[in-house]
Amino acid sequence: MKKVAVIGCGGAGKSTLSRTLSELMNIPVYHIDKLNWNPGWIPASQDALSEMINALVLKEEWIIDGNYSSTLDIRLECADTVIFLNMPTYLCFYRVLKRRIMYSGKSRPDMNEGCPEKIDLEFIKWIWGFNKNRRPLILNKLDKVSTEKDVFILSNPSEVDKFLDNLRCNKVQLNE
């Protein structure tokens, strides 16, 4: 596991899992939100974002978290491991609301400075429709790469905890 793509709905836990994996495996993590959003919530151009992702996937090791369907195929092609956080909508909403309160008036760690945490109607609609609209497309893509890549579909926080516990155990065994 040296090139890891972490995907899922907003609030699914992508950034938290990615930071934990980074610490555990000593692999750098890149948050696409941080690459895409400039101060004042100004998005990078599609070409600029694609260039940044294309450069990152050439590195020897990486963890890249984010959904961004425009660069998903690039990440899936280059990753050796894909983790899809397939969380229930209610949990994603709860976490997004919690995050909004925690980072009120400031930028969260996986976002650029000058992008204070916010929730708008467009984001709410995106979360609400994710499992109906985006999940089937993602599962189809994952099915196509599952014979060549390690694909993990984690559907609740307990599965994430078990996944991390297994990684920790395997790391300890490899170091003995």
Side-chain angles (χ1 to χ4, degrees):
M1 215 176 6
K2 295 195 177 279
K3 297 182 178 190
V4 183
V6 180
I7 56 180
C9 185
K14 297 180 300 295
S15 296
T16 301
L17 176 61
S18 295
R19 283 191 301 271
T20 303
L21 289 172
S22 176
E23 291 168 11
L24 184 61
M25 299 165 43
N26 199 28
I27 294 176
V29 63
Y30 304 94
H31 306 283
I32 300 178
D33 277 343
K34 197 168 201 165
L35 300 172
N36 184 61
W37 293 107
N38 296 302
W41 289 99
I42 298 169
S45 72
Q46 187 55 57
D47 288 342
L49 182 60
S50 292
E51 278 182 37
M52 288 184 272
I53 298 299
N54 279 317
L56 287 177
V57 297
L58 295 176
K59 294 179 179 267
E60 194 170 311
E61 295 181 327
W62 47 261
I63 298 166
I64 301 176
D65 90 53
N67 224 30
Y68 294 83
S69 56
S70 62
T71 64
L72 183 58
D73 289 339
I74 298 166
R75 290 176 280 136
L76 291 180
E77 180 181 321
C78 297
D80 59 39
T81 305
V82 182
I83 303 169
F84 175 37
L85 295 178
N86 184 31
M87 299 296 163
T89 302
Y90 75 87
L91 181 61
C92 294
F93 269 122
Y94 168 76
R95 288 177 170 176
V96 165
L97 290 171
K98 180 179 169 186
R99 182 171 74 192
R100 171 65 175 91
I101 293 166
M102 281 178 58
Y103 295 103
S104 180
K106 55 188 173 187
S107 301
R108 64 182 191 261
D110 52 307
M111 187 62 73
N112 271 327
E113 287 298 319
C115 295
E117 190 61 26
K118 66 177 187 169
I119 299 174
D120 58 21
L121 185 59
E122 184 179 342
F123 189 45
I124 290 170
K125 287 179 180 178
W126 184 78
I127 293 170
W128 183 259
F130 184 88
N131 285 341
K132 180 183 176 195
N133 302 321
R134 299 292 311 143
R135 178 173 50 191
L137 302 169
I138 291 169
L139 290 172
N140 185 42
K141 287 178 184 280
L142 295 181
D143 188 51
K144 290 178 182 174
V145 300
S146 65
T147 58
E148 314 155 11
K149 320 268 179 198
D150 290 326
V151 175
F152 299 92
I153 300 173
L154 307 175
S155 298
N156 59 58
S158 295
E159 290 182 6
V160 173
D161 291 342
K162 286 178 190 171
F163 175 81
L164 290 170
D165 287 345
N166 285 337
L167 272 181
R168 287 181 185 104
C169 287
N170 289 333
K171 185 177 180 183
V172 167
Q173 290 172 357
L174 291 174
N175 291 336
E176 290 178 346

